[in-house]
Every structure is written in structure tokens, then in C-alpha cells.
Amino acid sequence: MATMMDHERDGAQAPDEAMVRATGVRKSFGGTEVLKGIDLHVRPGEVSCLLGPSGSGKSTFLRCINHLETIDGGRLHVDGHLVGYRQRGDKLHELKASEVAARRREIGMVFQRFNLFPHLTALQNITHAPCLVRRVRKEQARAEAEVLLERVGLGGRGGAYPAQLSGGQQQRVAIARALAMKPRLMLFDEPTSALDPELVGEVLDVMKDLARDGMTMVVVTHEMGFAREVADSVWFMDDGIVVEHGEPAQVLGSPVHERTKAFLSKVL
């Protein structure tokens, strides 16, 4: 069970606090420590990109943010609240599944694979969670879903099933599905890695539009052009730690750490 040495309460954040704040976050699978003390912060309205080689812990950390993975040490806050835990004294106690689910509604997540329900249309995929979880009326959920489909460039395709859509279109439906829950934070786990190259741009365009609208986003990606153009901050991870972070121009253009330089020399 994770522990805390301070007595910080699980309350609302101050206006100038981070939307995501990780302090010394650790995570192990069996005897393998995947996250070795991650310190990271993302302010409201910022786009932060996590870069690094496969196996560096990026996706594991992203899953910890919405408690799809529990942490073994340190502390992790989203919107001023401890993720998945309640503090009592100097220890953290895991929340009930219903409490975790309630807080997870504030966080949208888009995976590498689209994870759409194959037996539901695009419109039904988008309306499913709002109706089931937020108890939105079907008529209202449908109207909001149609607006979201327009927003991601799929107006008129609400009746299509996933098998009738390209990979890029399916991923855009997945983004609309996440947005339908009205999240305060969006997590993207290599959202273009499963797409054919010619379909990558249409997904990135939707993400750029979200960034322009002020959505707080944490993006695990290998798309260096997107990171350079859209990110407010870049965090380079390797072997379970943050090696280097800063503005895109600094990290991607003038990296300091030799490991960062070696990685970028292969991908830029």
C-alpha cells in the first residue's frame, strides 16, 4: 500500500495548482520496478507530451493517472484529489470501486486500439456511457453525440458500425466517446500508433483542435511534429524515470541529457 509522509488532505486544489501532479510515483510488476519515482506536473489547459523508448514506463504512468493501475509509492493527484486513495494519517487507503469510478468520469482516455463496441453504431458507442453512467436522457445524449461527431469530422456517420469505418475514423469516434463524458482531463496513449500513416493526420487534427479549445491533455506519443507544434511541455522518460523535461523547443531542439540526444537522433 502506498504511504504519504505529509498530511496533505484530499481536498480541492488551489486555483494555481496543477491538474496532474505526480510526486515520487513508483510502480512494480512482480519484481520489476517500472516507475522509479516519477515527478511530473501538468497545469490546467496545458498539453504535455510523454516521450521515450518502448518500455520506459510512459503508458504505465498514464494508466496510473486514472487508476487503471495502482501505484506502489509516492502520491498522484488529479484536480487536487488523490487518485484512487483517501489519506488517513500518514497512509493511503484505496477507495471503493464505486468511488474510483465516480472520479474516473472526470478523465477521458483514448487507447492505442480503439476499443469500440463492434455491435454498436458510432452514435451508440458515444451515447452508451453518458446514458448508463451519467443518466443522461437518450434524446439529449444523442443530440450531444451528433455534435461531437461533427466536431471530429464524422457528421452523418453516426449510423456506421466500427467495421465500416477506417482506423482513423474509429479513433475519432473513440475521442468523441471520451469527450461525451465531459472530462476535465484527456489522456492519450499513443493514439496514432495503430493507424496507417495516411490516417495519422486526421486524428492529430482533432487533438490539435482540442488543444486550441483549452483541454488539458497528457499524450504519450512518438509523433515529434505534434509534440513540437502543440505541446506546452515535453517529458522524456527512460527506464522508469523522467530524464529531461521542458518546453518542446528546448527538449527537442537543444536537449541536455545524453540519453535524450541519443533517442532523438533516431526519431527526428
Side-chain angles (χ1 to χ4, degrees), residues 2 15-16 26 41 60 67 89 98 102 124-125 138 144 152 172 213 225 230 258:
D16 62 344
R26 295 181 176 273
H41 61 272
T60 296
H67 206 59
S98 59
Q124 290 168 336
N125 266 282
K138 288 184 178 181
E144 292 177 353
V152 300
R172 284 184 280 158
D213 285 351
V230 180
E258 290 301 322

Side-chain angles (χ1 to χ4, degrees), residues 19-38:
M19 176 64 76
V20 179
R21 183 174 298 281
T23 308
V25 170
R26 295 181 176 273
K27 174 66 180 177
S28 296
F29 294 102
T32 303
E33 192 173 31
V34 177
L35 301 178
K36 303 177 181 179
I38 299 294

Side-chain angles (χ1 to χ4, degrees), residues 237-256:
M237 292 178 59
D238 186 40
D239 195 27
I241 63 171
V242 174
V243 175
E244 188 166 352
H245 78 275
E247 295 182 357
Q250 182 268 305
V251 176
L252 300 180
S254 303
V256 175

Side-chain angles (χ1 to χ4, degrees), residues 109 113-133 141-142 144-146 148-149 154 157-165 169-181:
M109 187 161 185
R113 297 290 175 178
F114 325 122
N115 293 342
L116 299 177
F117 295 113
H119 63 290
L120 300 181
T121 65
L123 196 70
Q124 290 168 336
N125 266 282
I126 296 169
T127 60
H128 181 73
C131 290
L132 183 66
V133 179
R142 182 183 179 88
E144 292 177 353
E146 288 174 345
L148 287 171
L149 282 170
L154 291 173
R157 299 306 306 275
Y161 289 88
Q164 298 171 314
L165 300 172
Q169 290 171 328
Q170 290 184 62
Q171 192 63 295
R172 284 184 280 158
V173 171
I175 293 173
R177 180 180 60 182
L179 293 174
M181 292 296 287

